[in-house]
Amino acid sequence: MAEQDSHSKLMTMPVFSQLLEPQGLAPAQDFGDSQVLICSQLPDIEQRARIRFITGQRLRFELGSEDEVRRLIKHWRAELSPSIDSSEEEIFVSGFEDDEELMDLASEAPIIRLVNHLFARAMDLNASDIHFEPNENHLDVRCRVDGIMTRIERLPVKIHTAVASRLKLMAKLDIGEKRLPQDGRIDYQIGSKQLDMRVSTLPGVHGESVVLRILDRSDTAVDLQALGMPADVLQRYQGVINQPHGMILITGPTGSGKTTTLYATLEKINSEKQKIITVEDPVEYQLEGITQIQANASIGLSFASGLRSIVRQDPDILMVGEIRDHETAEIAIESALTGHLVFSTLHTNDAAGAVTRLQDMGVESYLISSSLLAIQAQRLVRRICTDCSETVALNEDEARVLEIAVSDCPQIKRGKGCEGCGQTGYRGRVGLYELLLMSEAIRHLIASGADSNVIRAKAREEGMRTLREDAMEKLRSGLTTPEEVVRVTRSL
């Protein structure tokens, strides 16, 4: 009896049936004393570390025959099944409806350790997002690393309820509500880093999808010079952001680094002599000496209403997170025309497209031409890992896809893959930039209602480097690869 008590303390039926058995692992017959797991094929290092972490045991893994593993699995099923009281709550089983049971489920030690383990994995990879995606048979955990989705774990789908409940509990969400989307945030300390994670849940066919956006509060200082702007673009950009009034727009799709550029810009021009106010959704990083407002449409604090109130606070510089509608655009332009320097973002493919987008919102062309100082379009490409980069020749197929001759770029760099970059050959990202500065000729074109193609052609004539051209320059400089250039700029 004492031996069975020892077994049950170290091994429970949920851990055995949901975590070990699917991996072809069985505890040794004297597990309570030896803490050895027998397997016919050793799991990889990461899998072993995860099992040790979740069980909280210093386990050893030893090879055995398939017959021995089958025998031990049968033994443990018989050994553990009678030891489970009918009222005992299995930490991995789905289907709980009662809020109290869900809270107990989310507070079980193995689930807490598993979630903490996944957070640590995401931080090691420098991920920007963690996705918990339930499928019919698995719970996939994927991270967005340098803009690319990477699966870091595939777990039994039965633990999904426990994991989702744990995340919702941490985010102070209603853990019993599974039919409606919810949003919240988690403050999480890992080592010396203080993380602020935005949490979004979405009901799906196989359960709730949960996505966490990771913001590292300890890494808020962004240097404008470190963003990857070419020297001439940086010089012109720094010149325009020091103008006393007017509007500067940063454009690009979601995940192109627009917010990072805006924060770096505000850090650069911030001083005690100027008052800077922002209205954002959400406030991603807190900046010293700057008044930041969190937009909240549910209580009527939209970008437009926030911007209208900001103007009455006697600011010198305004930043509105995004221009989404006519009202916000109109107030931003009025502010730029009445002595304020205004920064904002738009979702457009290129710089010239921002003019068309504002016109589509109902803003008069003469107001756009009078208020705009500059439009900067940008993208992010993955940077080649410096620890494993090597110089190779550009081949004919790559040149054809890039639409250049091999002689235009005979040699490029690639990452071979190493431990530091997770065998991907990439580490970090670098920006591509297209800066359109307003000139008298371009203002005249905008005021006369010219389309974006005409404006773009004139800007190129005046020296604007396009996103594609900047990407090719970074390829020649050994910062990125042909695949990244094509992936990011093929729609331009």
Side-chain angles (χ1 to χ4, degrees), residues 26 54 91 99 112 115 118 152 168 174 180 192 201 225 234 242 275 287 320 335 351 357 372 427 447 478 488:
I54 294 170
I91 59 171
D99 286 5
I112 294 172
V115 170
L118 294 171
I152 62 169
K168 289 162 77 173
D174 181 355
L180 296 172
S192 61
T201 72
Q225 281 83 354
L234 179 61
N242 283 297
K275 184 177 181 69
L287 303 176
V320 56
S335 301
R357 181 60 55 83
L372 272 179
R427 191 191 301 179
V488 173

Side-chain angles (χ1 to χ4, degrees), residues 11-269:
M11 183 59 53
T12 64
M13 188 63 176
V15 170
F16 169 69
S17 62
Q18 307 292 338
L19 184 65
L20 302 182
E21 187 180 0
Q23 304 295 331
L25 295 164
Q29 191 126 356
D30 59 346
F31 180 78
D33 300 318
S34 67
Q35 295 189 39
V36 172
L37 295 180
I38 308 297
C39 48
S40 58
Q41 185 175 351
L42 282 175
D44 60 33
I45 293 174
E46 286 191 2
Q47 193 75 344
R48 279 179 268 168
R50 183 170 73 88
I51 291 168
R52 289 187 183 110
F53 191 90
I54 294 170
T55 59
Q57 304 297 331
R58 297 178 64 84
L59 303 173
R60 289 189 294 115
F61 295 79
E62 292 185 1
L63 287 171
S65 67
E66 290 185 7
D67 287 342
E68 184 182 5
V69 173
R70 277 196 294 269
R71 180 186 65 77
L72 286 169
I73 286 175
K74 187 176 179 181
H75 163 79
W76 279 102
R77 281 205 159 275
E79 185 84 9
L80 289 170
S81 295
S83 70
I84 298 178
D85 184 79
S86 59
S87 64
E88 183 179 347
E89 182 176 84
E90 289 196 9
I91 59 171
F92 290 154
V93 177
S94 60
F96 286 84
E97 300 297 335
D98 184 80
D99 286 5
E100 216 170 290
E101 286 186 335
L102 285 170
M103 290 185 72
D104 290 342
L105 180 70
S107 302
E108 291 282 356
I111 290 299
I112 294 172
R113 285 197 293 267
L114 173 59
V115 170
N116 291 346
H117 167 69
L118 294 171
F119 287 172
R121 285 285 305 282
M123 288 306 300
D124 287 343
L125 294 169
N126 200 26
S128 60
D129 304 81
I130 314 176
H131 294 241
F132 295 83
E133 302 167 331
N135 301 306
E136 187 175 358
N137 300 312
H138 301 100
L139 169 62
D140 282 336
V141 184
R142 298 198 291 166
C143 288
R144 190 174 294 280
V145 181
D146 295 334
I148 304 296
M149 294 291 284
T150 304
R151 192 178 77 201
I152 62 169
E153 290 287 357
R154 170 161 279 181
L155 304 167
V157 74
K158 288 183 180 180
I159 75 169
H160 170 254
T161 297
V163 172
S165 297
R166 175 63 187 165
L167 295 171
K168 289 162 77 173
L169 195 62
M170 294 176 75
K172 298 178 175 63
L173 300 177
D174 181 355
I175 61 176
E177 178 56 76
K178 301 177 183 179
R179 300 164 300 171
L180 296 172
Q182 297 187 70
D183 294 297
R185 48 197 325 153
I186 296 172
D187 289 324
Y188 186 77
Q189 180 84 32
I190 182 166
S192 61
K193 293 191 173 184
Q194 181 67 38
L195 303 183
D196 180 8
M197 293 186 276
R198 297 207 315 266
V199 182
S200 171
T201 72
L202 190 69
V205 174
H206 299 295
E208 288 177 291
S209 169
V210 185
V211 177
L212 281 66
R213 178 73 186 275
I214 304 172
L215 305 171
D216 184 357
R217 285 192 206 155
S218 60
D219 189 25
T220 58
V222 182
D223 194 311
L224 204 54
Q225 281 83 354
L227 297 181
M229 290 187 196
D232 58 330
V233 173
L234 179 61
Q235 184 179 6
R236 283 182 285 162
Y237 184 75
Q238 287 181 321
V240 78
I241 65 176
N242 283 297
Q243 296 296 312
H245 56 82
M247 185 161 70
I248 298 167
L249 294 175
I250 310 295
T251 78
T254 301
S256 59
K258 300 187 297 295
T259 302
T260 301
T261 298
L262 284 177
Y263 279 143
T265 301
L266 294 180
E267 288 272 26
K268 181 73 176 177
I269 62 179

Side-chain angles (χ1 to χ4, degrees), residues 241-362:
I241 65 176
N242 283 297
Q243 296 296 312
H245 56 82
M247 185 161 70
I248 298 167
L249 294 175
I250 310 295
T251 78
T254 301
S256 59
K258 300 187 297 295
T259 302
T260 301
T261 298
L262 284 177
Y263 279 143
T265 301
L266 294 180
E267 288 272 26
K268 181 73 176 177
I269 62 179
N270 188 16
S271 75
E272 291 185 356
K273 296 180 180 179
Q274 299 187 102
K275 184 177 181 69
I276 303 176
I277 307 180
T278 75
V279 55
E280 308 168 57
D281 184 20
V283 175
E284 295 195 2
Y285 298 115
Q286 296 175 17
L287 303 176
E288 186 71 29
I290 294 175
T291 302
Q292 295 171 272
I293 300 168
Q294 169 73 57
N296 188 343
S298 64
I299 60 170
L301 182 56
S302 63
F303 281 131
S305 61
L307 192 52
R308 193 181 295 108
S309 299
I310 285 174
V311 174
R312 295 195 285 269
Q313 289 281 310
D314 188 30
D316 298 294
I317 299 168
L318 310 174
M319 191 269 271
V320 56
E322 184 183 346
I323 293 177
R324 297 175 178 171
D325 51 43
H326 171 76
E327 187 180 8
T328 308
E330 196 172 57
I331 300 168
I333 286 175
E334 284 176 7
S335 301
L337 292 172
T338 54
H340 303 93
L341 184 61
V342 180
F343 294 91
S344 192
T345 72
L346 279 174
H347 289 278
T348 63
N349 273 341
D350 60 7
V355 175
T356 305
R357 181 60 55 83
L358 290 172
Q359 290 168 338
D360 290 344
M361 289 180 182

